[in-house]
Amino acid sequence: MAAWKYDAGMPYAQKKHGWSKRYAGVRPMSGLGRVARCPSGIDGATAEAILNDGFPWPPNGWPAAVYAVHDGVPYETRPTLPGVSFHGFPILPERWSKLPAFVRAELEHRAASVGQDLAEWLGHWKDRSE
């Protein structure tokens, strides 16, 4: 398994995926539409652990994305510096159906294997923003 580095961006609180709530959510952002927000309690070590517990897509070479599940929320990370680091964020419910079928199935499997259900995230945030 690769040991990927997580890049939170600085300052984190000003990043578009950051907010002060201790749960993942969705908020509208001027000019960007709905933006998924990470829980405030995820520190750098936890984010890196989530990243390294994920799976790459595509699986060969340096991935275009790494996908993971944490607390019933599916996450996608994308390279910030190819070959070095990634930045992650919850997957917006409206993007779920656009993911490759294998990615969706693997995320659902990983969530179920730890007793989590992605349906709450996908359903709860599908039609609302906080």
Side-chain angles (χ1 to χ4, degrees), residues 81-99:
L81 187 56
V84 177
S85 60
F86 291 86
H87 178 74
F89 42 88
I91 296 170
L92 286 169
E94 54 267 29
R95 286 201 61 245
W96 180 255
S97 66
K98 296 177 178 115
L99 294 174

Side-chain angles (χ1 to χ4, degrees), residues 11-97:
Y12 176 75
Q14 295 176 2
K15 292 302 206 182
K16 71 179 180 181
H17 297 293
W19 70 344
S20 62
K21 301 192 187 314
R22 296 195 58 82
Y23 55 88
V26 178
R27 298 265 334 245
M29 189 172 210
S30 181
L32 296 175
R34 287 167 35 103
V35 175
R37 303 294 180 121
C38 296
S40 64
I42 294 183
D43 62 15
T46 303
E48 197 157 287
I50 295 167
L51 168 66
N52 282 289
D53 191 44
F55 63 96
W57 190 261
N60 301 318
W62 186 259
V66 175
Y67 294 94
V69 174
H70 180 70
D71 288 342
V73 178
Y75 284 85
E76 176 178 354
T77 66
R78 294 188 189 154
T80 53
L81 187 56
V84 177
S85 60
F86 291 86
H87 178 74
F89 42 88
I91 296 170
L92 286 169
E94 54 267 29
R95 286 201 61 245
W96 180 255
S97 66

